[in-house]
């Protein structure tokens, strides 16, 4: 288990009690634009976020939206620059003193990346008074309701060295990924959850078997790495990841390599789109039905084409 903090990009003007740990490496932050309740309800990302929340916690339908905003722009982190688009919504029980929940949604992937639950336990028996197993159960319930399939993860919990305030860190891991899928901090009566896998960053995705399959504009194309590191694609082409990289380095496209193996362009598109669609649906906590899968695959297909038709700029 890697005990280090996983640095997701958290860019918000709304107070994040614990997730601020993850923002320490951010140098330049774009400006947030406030949103009214009416704007949230007609905004595509806002509507989608609320629908997911209401499905997970029906009681929140009666909550009030007490704050909302969106942000779009370039975020500097070290030498890397990442384009960011995020919508944030804060809801609270009517009266302003009860349960509160904050959601930060990626406006590009439509995925809820951060969830913060506050005051969901009685003050006289707050989270920090519970045992490790009880804390783990509360966090796992949140993950299961918001994302589903919590039983597929291993969880490790530890109390952090924080002399000012008791803080627990929980990492949810799956053998498919090198990094934790979820990293969670529990402090006071607050659960701050960050979904690590699936968040676009300037770093190489954690599922990569072979890096730098080809370059674009003189830089490694990590989207291509993410799309093409697909076990079903390797099986379809009857090639190992290394062999595919070697062929791409000779200036061939994936489509041309597939043709030499009597595999059609559509077969390649279907394999990659299906893997990406399943991952997206699972990440969103949506049931993978035939209809949902087909709709998601159709949305992803246009993103696959530029990857499989690209000729690398790296000389072999």
């Amino acid at each position: 288990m890697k005990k280090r903090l996983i640095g997701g990009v958290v860019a918000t003007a709304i107070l994040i009690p614990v997730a601020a740990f993850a923002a320490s490496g951010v140098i330049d932050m774009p400006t947030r634009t406030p949103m009214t309740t009416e704007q949230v309800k007609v905004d595509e990302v806002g509507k989608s976020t609320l629908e997911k929340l209401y499905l997970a916690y029906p009681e929140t339908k009666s909550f009030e939206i007490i704050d909302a905003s969106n942000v779009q722009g370039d975020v500097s982190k070290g030498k890397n620059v990442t384009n960011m688009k995020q919508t944030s919504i804060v809801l609270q029980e009517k009266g302003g003193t009860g349960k509160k929940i904050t959601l930060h949604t990626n406006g590009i992937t439509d995925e809820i990346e951060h969830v913060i639950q506050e005051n969901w336990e009685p003050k006289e028996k707050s989270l920090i008074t519970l045992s490790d197993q009880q804390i783990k159960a509360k966090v796992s319930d949140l993950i299961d309701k918001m994302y589903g399939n919590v039983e597929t993860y291993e969880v490790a919990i530890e109390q952090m060295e924080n002399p000012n305030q008791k803080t627990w860190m929980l990492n949810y891991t799956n053998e498919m990924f090198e990094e934790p899928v979820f990293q969670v901090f529990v402090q006071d009566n607050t659960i701050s959850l960050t979904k690590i896998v699936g968040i676009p960053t300037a770093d190489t995705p954690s599922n990569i078997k072979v890096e730098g399959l080809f370059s674009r504009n003189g830089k490694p194309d990590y989207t291509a790495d993410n799309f093409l590191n697909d076990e079903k694609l390797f099986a379809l082409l009857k090639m190992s990841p290394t062999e595919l990289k070697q062929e791409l380095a000779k200036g061939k496209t994936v489509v041309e390599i597939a043709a030499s193996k009597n595999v059609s362009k559509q077969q390649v598109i279907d394999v990659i789109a299906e893997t990406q669609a399943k991952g997206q649906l699972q990440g969103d906590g949506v049931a993978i039905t035939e209809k949902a899968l087909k709709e998601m695959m159709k949305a992803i297909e246009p993103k696959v084409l530029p990857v499989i038709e690209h000729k690398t700029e790296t000389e072999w």
Side-chain angles (χ1 to χ4, degrees), residues 1 5 31-32 46 52 68 93 100 112 114-115 125 130 145 156 245 250-251 267 302-303 312:
M1 168 63 64
L5 304 185
T31 304
R32 283 195 164 271
K52 292 171 186 175
E93 281 185 314
K100 183 178 178 181
I112 298 175
H114 310 282
V115 181
K125 195 175 182 181
L130 305 180
K145 282 186 167 65
K245 181 175 181 178
K250 295 176 183 178
Q267 284 177 290
K303 300 178 183 179
T312 187

Side-chain angles (χ1 to χ4, degrees), residues 56-285:
Y57 292 98
E59 66 188 281
T60 58
K61 290 180 181 180
S62 65
F63 284 21
E64 295 177 307
I65 296 176
I66 61 171
D67 203 346
S69 62
N70 59 32
V71 62
Q72 185 169 3
D74 291 335
V75 176
S76 298
K77 189 177 181 184
K79 296 180 180 179
N80 299 315
V81 176
T82 302
N83 182 264
M84 182 180 188
K85 185 178 180 183
Q86 186 189 74
T87 295
S88 298
I89 307 171
V90 184
L91 301 96
Q92 190 169 35
E93 281 185 314
K94 291 182 178 179
T97 58
K99 295 179 180 179
K100 183 178 178 181
I101 189 163
T102 302
L103 307 165
H104 301 285
T105 303
N106 187 309
I108 299 172
T109 65
D110 199 30
E111 181 174 50
I112 298 175
E113 298 175 337
H114 310 282
V115 181
I116 304 170
Q117 268 191 352
E118 299 175 71
N119 304 322
W120 283 60
E121 299 300 317
K123 288 184 178 180
E124 60 274 12
K125 195 175 182 181
S126 66
L127 286 166
I128 59 170
T129 67
L130 305 180
S131 67
D132 286 7
Q133 287 302 317
Q134 289 173 318
I135 290 174
K136 190 187 298 183
K138 296 290 184 183
V139 174
S140 294
D141 182 65
L142 171 60
I143 292 174
D144 196 57
K145 282 186 167 65
M146 293 300 300
Y147 298 97
N149 302 315
V150 72
E151 67 278 357
T152 63
Y153 305 106
E154 296 289 333
V155 58
I157 181 172
E158 62 177 305
Q159 187 172 346
M160 300 184 69
E161 296 179 7
N162 184 0
N164 300 318
Q165 205 167 28
K166 283 186 177 180
T167 303
W168 280 261
M169 178 174 72
L170 296 88
N171 283 318
Y172 285 75
T173 58
N174 183 293
E175 60 182 9
M176 291 176 62
F177 306 100
E178 292 180 3
E179 306 288 7
V181 178
F182 301 98
Q183 188 168 80
V184 188
F185 293 97
V186 176
Q187 190 181 79
D188 288 333
N189 210 4
T190 299
I191 297 174
S192 293
L193 163 69
T194 299
K195 189 174 189 297
I196 304 299
V197 174
I199 297 177
T201 71
D203 302 318
T204 306
S206 58
N207 66 316
I208 298 304
K209 297 174 180 63
V210 174
E211 296 180 23
L213 287 164
F214 58 68
S215 63
R216 191 184 298 274
N217 299 323
K219 298 178 181 179
D221 189 328
Y222 295 127
T223 299
D225 284 351
N226 186 31
F227 277 22
L228 300 181
N229 275 276
D230 186 319
E231 292 291 351
K232 291 185 177 180
L233 176 64
F234 299 143
L236 180 67
L237 299 178
K238 297 179 181 178
M239 302 176 75
S240 69
T242 302
E243 289 172 335
L244 177 60
K245 181 175 181 178
Q246 290 173 345
E247 290 301 302
L248 288 169
K250 295 176 183 178
K252 299 178 182 178
T253 66
V254 175
V255 173
E256 290 171 342
I257 295 169
S260 70
K261 303 276 186 177
N262 294 319
V263 174
S264 70
K265 179 195 290 188
Q266 193 59 50
Q267 284 177 290
V268 173
I269 292 172
D270 290 345
V271 163
I272 297 173
E274 182 177 356
T275 298
Q276 294 294 321
K278 285 181 177 178
Q280 182 67 55
L281 291 171
Q282 185 176 0
D284 288 345

